[in-house]
Amino acid sequence: MVTRRQLLAASAAGGAAVLVPAGGAAGRALAAVAPLDAGEIPKYVVPLRIPPAMPAVTTSPERDEYVIAVRQFRQQILPPSWPRTTVWGYGSTAHPGSFGYPAPTIMARVGRPVRVTWVNQLVDGRGDYLPHLLPVDPTLHWANPPGGPAGRDRHGHWDGDPQGYRGPVPQVVHLHGGHSPQESDGHSEAWYLPVARDLPSDFALTGSTYREFRSRFAEASGLRWAPGSATFEYANDQRSCTLWYHDHSLGLTRENVYAGPAGFYLLGGGDDLPEGVLPGPTPARNDPPNVRYHDIPLLIQDRSFTADGDLLYPDARSSHGDVPPLWTSGFSGSAIVVNGRTWPTLTVQRRRYRFRLLNGCNSRFLLLSVAAHATARPARPVLPVWQIGSDGGFLPEPVPHERVTLGPAQRVDAIVDFTDVPAGTELYLVNEGPDWAYAGGRPGVDFDPADPHTTGQVLRFVVTDATGADSSVPPEQLRLPSHSRLGPAQRVRRLSLNERRSGGSMIMLLGVLDERGRGLPLRWSDPVTEQPTLGDTEVWEVRNFTRHVHPVHLHQVQFELLGRGHSGRSLPGPGDRGRLDTVLAYPWEVTRIKAHFDLPGRYAWHCHLLEHEDNEMMRPLNVLPRGGAAAGDGGSPTGAVVPETVSTDAG
Ligand SMILES: [Cu+2]
């Protein structure tokens, strides 16, 4: 996490969390980068951008097909007349105007598969590869294309370039929260480089699992992935919910996501409520112009900028010269960006709105409320945020919140009712999360809330009269679809979140427990310990031995939170009683979750603080077929480090 000392250095540098090295990491001198003082950026001068629906190549009752590339382009993220920012983003290759940060929203229906060919087009106009926009640390356990086929997906070497690795950039897309077969999940070692004229001949062009997954996909669909791409198919056999897609390359996710590639994936149909019950519409494919949207996804991120308008990310961890030289344990951006614009404004009518809130920050926790004053702290919420859903779909019943806590990668599906707010009123979505590591507790009591003049503000609402009737049901009268709970568990796993000193800094590691109940940290490459049997339901008791909150994300599943607290037996809050794919694990607590694993193969579970994830806070999650491991079905080493507790637990 960013330390107070580092933050002081950051504020001395003008508010951006750029770290000022004393001796220069690895004995180098840092190029002078002038950070933009975020306090100077005028707020609420541009309207909120609502990402349009992603254009499809073909749609049929059988499936929707897309070809989506990641490209580099410039976009107006700062207000007009300020410099534009070079970013990366996704778009449809058949529609060059569709590229954006954030990307267009993929609109999917339950029961109708979506097939996407994801293309890495990080090349320039001549077809030469583009290097990363941000410093990349080659010494981490990362994709490491320069290692060649023998050295990929391992620790790489530092060649002295202060920018770190400057070669072609791996990409692989993960649909976060998706119930996806392994070959379509965006495994961190299934990355691929772009097709470029100048790829070094000794580089690995793909990650270690790419070929295996390419074969599996070909077997299943008869379709072979073209170089520089991967085709994934999403079954959409889960509840209607708000998902998102982003890069997941090994040891590189923090920079790849920070550079911009991310988009919403809204899964409708299935258990969705009949049309008109919830506020709508949200953008659909082939919408005519000037549609008024009342169901609006909000991707909230923190970003720092240079005086030239480019993205700024720390290029040195500290004044120590030891490895990893370009890794920082946490990131705190100086400005808030919503749907790709700094501090936008949204004109709302006196009616109900549905907001799909997504925390897309690398490591910032958001505590959001709707207040009448932008800077007053503590914020005095004036409208409840009615939560109707979490990561995996609807809650059992609507929950009014004064303040919503949103960790990185988490979603809250919410209704805000502006009906009784007089026209002309201005309201603010404010953030009272901290500007550095979050350890839980109350803002203003247990920690200082984010700077009320910058990162403490998110979005302005300007209320106007309604131009039409609002057919949606008031949130307090809503009846949400009911679902049965998961059945009894076949196994309980005891797991740990740990801190370890490494070189001059603390790194965070997942792990298991040893025979005395202490945390036994394990790295990405250690023998696989989490190997549920296909079809099993398991309880995971995750003990947090660190001082900070970590958002723990499991691939493949939408799980239930059973309990928290020192024993893991305290009931979750009402907003956590739906399905989750990312759960906040609080310091010194046991977070108990229950998940059903019904897809075989290689997956992962990890901390979604991207700086942690990229530096070993990720572990394999391999689902084995019944009757033992078959080669290739998550057939990594099966050695369990410690005996696992086998019992039944109805939760
Ligand atoms: Cu973490």
Side-chain angles (χ1 to χ4, degrees):
M1 280 310 192
V2 178
T3 64
R4 278 171 192 270
R5 186 182 58 75
Q6 288 167 333
L7 271 181
L8 288 175
S11 49
V18 60
L19 309 182
V20 182
R28 69 203 166 76
L30 256 194
V33 177
L36 182 65
D37 180 353
E40 309 263 292
I41 303 170
K43 295 183 186 67
Y44 312 123
V45 295
V46 286
L48 175 80
R49 184 175 163 270
I50 301 174
M54 181 71 83
V57 175
T58 61
T59 59
S60 72
E62 246 161 68
R63 74 169 60 82
D64 297 339
E65 295 195 39
Y66 296 83
V67 180
I68 299 174
V70 56
R71 291 181 184 165
Q72 178 169 310
F73 48 88
R74 287 167 74 75
Q75 185 171 312
Q76 196 72 50
I77 295 170
L78 295 165
S81 85
W82 287 61
R84 288 191 301 162
T85 304
T86 302
V87 289
W88 295 347
Y90 301 111
S92 166
T93 54
H95 300 80
S98 67
F99 283 78
Y101 156 63
T105 300
I106 296 178
M107 298 300 298
R109 303 290 296 176
V110 171
R112 184 160 78 196
V114 161
R115 185 180 283 180
V116 184
T117 295
W118 298 103
V119 192
N120 182 347
Q121 289 185 340
L122 294 174
V123 294
D124 65 16
R126 293 169 305 182
D128 293 340
Y129 69 78
L130 288 165
H132 213 292
L133 297 174
L134 306 160
V136 173
D137 192 319
T139 71
L140 295 179
H141 186 171
W142 75 298
N144 194 33
R152 62 187 165 185
D153 299 312
R154 297 188 183 198
H155 292 271
H157 301 290
W158 175 260
D159 68 2
D161 188 324
Q163 282 291 297
Y165 171 75
R166 302 295 295 153
V169 181
Q171 294 280 310
V172 59
V173 180
H174 170 55
L175 175 61
H176 182 114
H179 181 244
S180 309
Q182 56 172 328
E183 62 271 20
S184 295
D185 188 50
H187 187 265
S188 288
E189 296 182 353
W191 52 267
Y192 41 95
L193 298 183
V195 173
R197 298 190 313 170
D198 56 346
L199 291 179
S201 60
D202 54 344
F203 273 35
L205 303 183
T206 60
S208 337
T209 56
Y210 181 92
R211 268 171 83 126
E212 177 200 324
F213 290 149
R214 184 179 61 185
S215 305
R216 287 182 181 281
F217 193 85
E219 270 170 41
S221 71
L223 204 135
R224 194 176 161 85
W225 299 351
S229 75
T231 303
F232 294 165
E233 185 156 309
Y234 309 114
N236 298 324
D237 55 351
Q238 59 193 99
R239 300 180 190 175
S240 65
C241 59
T242 304
L243 305 175
W244 66 300
Y245 59 99
H246 64 79
D247 183 81
H248 209 267
S249 302
L250 187 67
L252 189 61
T253 297
R254 68 197 184 290
E255 289 109 339
N256 279 0
V257 172
Y258 189 80
F264 282 93
Y265 185 107
L266 300 187
L267 184 52
D271 65 351
D272 223 342
L273 296 173
E275 206 174 305
V277 173
L278 296 174
T282 198
R285 291 189 294 267
N286 308 315
D287 269 349
N290 305 321
V291 177
R292 285 180 198 279
Y293 298 113
H294 305 117
D295 175 4
I296 300 174
L298 296 175
L299 169 63
I300 305 170
Q301 299 177 303
D302 57 344
R303 292 289 182 268
S304 294
F305 298 89
T306 68
D308 296 332
D310 280 322
L311 290 172
L312 185 59
Y313 185 84
D315 63 354
R317 170 176 52 80
S318 70
S319 59
H320 301 289
D322 44 22
V323 293
L326 292 183
W327 177 75
T328 176
S329 62
F331 172 77
S332 178
S334 60
I336 296 293
V337 173
V338 186
N339 291 355
R341 289 179 177 170
T342 51
W343 293 294
T345 192
L346 176 65
T347 300
V348 292
Q349 297 195 346
R350 297 180 59 194
R351 52 166 295 139
R352 287 175 281 279
Y353 283 75
R354 182 180 186 184
F355 295 113
R356 320 283 189 121
L357 300 166
L358 162 60
N359 180 343
C361 299
N362 278 28
S363 34
R364 178 184 289 274
F365 289 78
L366 300 167
L367 273 62
L368 302 170
S369 55
V370 179
H373 299 282
T375 56
R377 298 293 182 274
R380 287 182 295 276
V382 291
L383 285 182
V385 176
W386 283 88
Q387 185 183 0
I388 57 169
S390 51
D391 301 337
F394 289 114
L395 295 181
E397 57 193 11
V399 178
H401 293 283
E402 284 209 330
R403 188 189 289 126
V404 168
T405 302
L406 207 57
Q410 292 191 303
R411 285 87 68 210
V412 159
D413 192 348
I415 293 174
V416 177
D417 191 345
F418 297 97
T419 307
D420 294 331
V421 181
T425 306
E426 295 184 353
L427 299 174
Y428 299 87
L429 187 65
V430 301
N431 166 40
E432 293 179 281
D435 270 329
W436 51 86
Y438 180 54
R442 284 170 299 163
V445 179
D446 302 300
F447 59 87
D448 291 335
D451 184 346
H453 299 284
T454 54
T455 46
Q457 296 182 47
V458 178
L459 178 69
R460 182 181 66 172
F461 301 107
V462 178
V463 182
T464 61
D465 280 319
T467 53
D470 183 356
S471 73
S472 71
V473 175
E476 58 273 25
Q477 296 167 21
L478 265 177
R479 308 237 335 212
L480 299 175
S482 61
H483 291 283
S484 54
R485 303 275 292 175
L486 290 172
Q490 281 76 48
R491 168 180 286 224
V492 177
R493 282 180 200 279
R494 301 212 166 113
L495 302 158
S496 58
L497 310 181
N498 310 279
E499 283 177 347
R500 278 289 179 277
R501 192 159 284 285
S502 170
S505 71
M506 298 299 274
I507 70 163
M508 312 290 160
L509 296 165
L510 306 175
V512 292
L513 294 190
D514 68 12
E515 63 288 344
R516 293 171 61 187
R518 296 170 303 192
L520 182 61
L522 296 168
R523 293 172 185 253
W524 174 243
S525 58
D526 281 322
V528 184
T529 44
E530 286 69 69
Q531 303 192 91
T533 300
L534 185 66
D536 273 4
T537 300
E538 299 196 343
V539 169
W540 289 22
E541 299 182 352
V542 182
R543 240 161 249 271
N544 185 350
F545 292 103
T546 80
R547 295 160 292 157
H548 299 128
V549 181
H550 301 266
V552 174
H553 172 47
L554 274 65
H555 286 218
Q556 176 184 147
V557 293
Q558 290 289 344
F559 53 79
E560 290 173 358
L561 176 60
L562 303 179
R564 301 182 172 287
H566 293 282
S567 65
R569 303 277 157 184
S570 307
L571 282 181
D576 278 335
R577 289 180 192 161
R579 292 294 184 95
L580 302 171
D581 54 53
T582 307
V583 66
L584 301 190
Y586 287 89
W588 318 116
E589 291 194 1
V590 180
T591 304
R592 291 172 66 246
I593 62 173
K594 182 193 271 188
H596 179 65
F597 300 93
D598 60 358
L599 293 170
R602 293 174 207 243
Y603 294 87
W605 68 288
H606 59 87
C607 175
H608 219 288
L609 301 182
L610 299 184
E611 283 72 18
H612 291 182
E613 169 185 350
D614 273 354
N615 194 9
E616 301 284 359
M617 204 172 189
M618 179 161 79
R619 289 282 295 153
L621 161 59
N622 291 355
V623 180
L624 302 179
R626 278 208 177 274
D633 277 326
S636 300
T638 51
V641 172
V642 290
E644 285 149 346
T645 312
V646 179
S647 69
T648 58
D649 187 321

